[in-house]
PDB file of all heavy atoms in Angstrom:
ATOM      1  N   GLY R1389      17.711  -8.713   0.062  1.00 98.00           N
ATOM      2  CA  GLY R1389      18.359  -8.989  -1.231  1.00 98.00           C
ATOM      3  C   GLY R1389      17.500  -8.511  -2.397  1.00 98.00           C
ATOM      4  O   GLY R1389      17.963  -7.797  -3.298  1.00 98.00           O
ATOM      5  N   ASP R1417      12.148  -3.521  14.891  1.00 98.00           N
ATOM      6  CA  ASP R1417      12.556  -3.270  13.484  1.00 98.00           C
ATOM      7  C   ASP R1417      12.044  -1.916  13.012  1.00 98.00           C
ATOM      8  O   ASP R1417      12.757  -1.157  12.346  1.00 98.00           O
ATOM      9  CB  ASP R1417      11.954  -4.349  12.556  1.00 98.00           C
ATOM     10  CG  ASP R1417      12.793  -5.626  12.563  1.00 98.00           C
ATOM     11  OD1 ASP R1417      13.523  -5.877  13.527  1.00 98.00           O
ATOM     12  OD2 ASP R1417      12.713  -6.373  11.570  1.00 98.00           O
ATOM     13  N   ASP R1427      18.543   9.137   9.606  1.00 98.00           N
ATOM     14  CA  ASP R1427      19.980   9.364   9.348  1.00 98.00           C
ATOM     15  C   ASP R1427      20.312   9.453   7.862  1.00 98.00           C
ATOM     16  O   ASP R1427      21.256  10.112   7.467  1.00 98.00           O
ATOM     17  CB  ASP R1427      20.799   8.182   9.943  1.00 98.00           C
ATOM     18  CG  ASP R1427      20.770   8.209  11.473  1.00 98.00           C
ATOM     19  OD1 ASP R1427      20.375   9.242  12.055  1.00 98.00           O
ATOM     20  OD2 ASP R1427      21.146   7.191  12.095  1.00 98.00           O
ATOM     21  N   ALA R1438       2.531  -1.182   1.726  1.00 98.00           N
ATOM     22  CA  ALA R1438       2.177  -2.179   0.692  1.00 98.00           C
ATOM     23  C   ALA R1438       2.590  -3.594   1.090  1.00 98.00           C
ATOM     24  O   ALA R1438       2.188  -4.535   0.412  1.00 98.00           O
ATOM     25  CB  ALA R1438       2.812  -1.827  -0.652  1.00 98.00           C
ATOM     26  N   MET R1446      -8.713 -21.559   4.027  1.00 97.00           N
ATOM     27  CA  MET R1446     -10.091 -21.386   4.409  1.00 97.00           C
ATOM     28  C   MET R1446     -10.190 -21.696   5.907  1.00 97.00           C
ATOM     29  O   MET R1446      -9.213 -22.110   6.532  1.00 97.00           O
ATOM     30  CB  MET R1446     -11.008 -22.248   3.556  1.00 97.00           C
ATOM     31  CG  MET R1446     -10.945 -21.760   2.104  1.00 97.00           C
ATOM     32  SD  MET R1446     -11.968 -22.729   0.960  1.00 97.00           S
ATOM     33  CE  MET R1446     -13.628 -22.203   1.417  1.00 97.00           C
ATOM     34  N   SER R1456      -3.510 -15.102  13.072  1.00 98.00           N
ATOM     35  CA  SER R1456      -2.883 -13.914  13.670  1.00 98.00           C
ATOM     36  C   SER R1456      -1.713 -13.392  12.868  1.00 98.00           C
ATOM     37  O   SER R1456      -1.504 -12.177  12.787  1.00 98.00           O
ATOM     38  CB  SER R1456      -2.358 -14.246  15.074  1.00 98.00           C
ATOM     39  OG  SER R1456      -3.390 -14.679  15.883  1.00 98.00           O
ATOM     40  N   LEU R1512      -9.043   1.200   9.587  1.00 98.00           N
ATOM     41  CA  LEU R1512      -7.991   1.930  10.264  1.00 98.00           C
ATOM     42  C   LEU R1512      -7.747   3.256   9.539  1.00 98.00           C
ATOM     43  O   LEU R1512      -7.663   4.317  10.168  1.00 98.00           O
ATOM     44  CB  LEU R1512      -6.696   1.083  10.254  1.00 98.00           C
ATOM     45  CG  LEU R1512      -5.453   1.809  10.835  1.00 98.00           C
ATOM     46  CD1 LEU R1512      -5.572   2.004  12.338  1.00 98.00           C
ATOM     47  CD2 LEU R1512      -4.180   0.986  10.518  1.00 98.00           C
ATOM     48  N   ARG R1514      -9.785   5.089   7.716  1.00 97.00           N
ATOM     49  CA  ARG R1514     -10.862   6.088   7.997  1.00 97.00           C
ATOM     50  C   ARG R1514     -10.756   6.601   9.428  1.00 97.00           C
ATOM     51  O   ARG R1514     -10.968   7.782   9.701  1.00 97.00           O
ATOM     52  CB  ARG R1514     -12.253   5.421   7.838  1.00 97.00           C
ATOM     53  CG  ARG R1514     -12.624   5.193   6.413  1.00 97.00           C
ATOM     54  CD  ARG R1514     -14.049   4.670   6.297  1.00 97.00           C
ATOM     55  NE  ARG R1514     -14.119   3.224   6.491  1.00 97.00           N
ATOM     56  CZ  ARG R1514     -13.977   2.330   5.495  1.00 97.00           C
ATOM     57  NH1 ARG R1514     -13.722   2.728   4.270  1.00 97.00           N
ATOM     58  NH2 ARG R1514     -14.050   1.036   5.716  1.00 97.00           N
ATOM     59  N   VAL R1548     -10.283 -13.589 -15.169  1.00 95.00           N
ATOM     60  CA  VAL R1548     -10.382 -12.127 -15.382  1.00 95.00           C
ATOM     61  C   VAL R1548     -11.309 -11.738 -16.523  1.00 95.00           C
ATOM     62  O   VAL R1548     -12.195 -10.878 -16.343  1.00 95.00           O
ATOM     63  CB  VAL R1548      -8.981 -11.503 -15.534  1.00 95.00           C
ATOM     64  CG1 VAL R1548      -9.042 -10.096 -16.110  1.00 95.00           C
ATOM     65  CG2 VAL R1548      -8.260 -11.497 -14.192  1.00 95.00           C
ATOM     66  N   PRO R1549     -11.225 -12.349 -17.735  1.00 94.00           N
ATOM     67  CA  PRO R1549     -12.102 -11.922 -18.812  1.00 94.00           C
ATOM     68  C   PRO R1549     -13.586 -12.105 -18.479  1.00 94.00           C
ATOM     69  O   PRO R1549     -14.430 -11.421 -19.042  1.00 94.00           O
ATOM     70  CB  PRO R1549     -11.705 -12.847 -19.978  1.00 94.00           C
ATOM     71  CG  PRO R1549     -10.375 -13.379 -19.606  1.00 94.00           C
ATOM     72  CD  PRO R1549     -10.312 -13.421 -18.117  1.00 94.00           C
ATOM     73  N   GLY R1580      -9.511   9.696   3.580  1.00 98.00           N
ATOM     74  CA  GLY R1580     -10.360   8.646   4.174  1.00 98.00           C
ATOM     75  C   GLY R1580     -11.029   7.767   3.132  1.00 98.00           C
ATOM     76  O   GLY R1580     -11.945   6.993   3.446  1.00 98.00           O
TER      77      GLY R1580
END
Side-chain angles (χ1 to χ4, degrees):
D1417 277 24
D1427 290 346
M1446 295 179 73
S1456 300
L1512 174 69
R1514 287 185 276 273
V1548 165

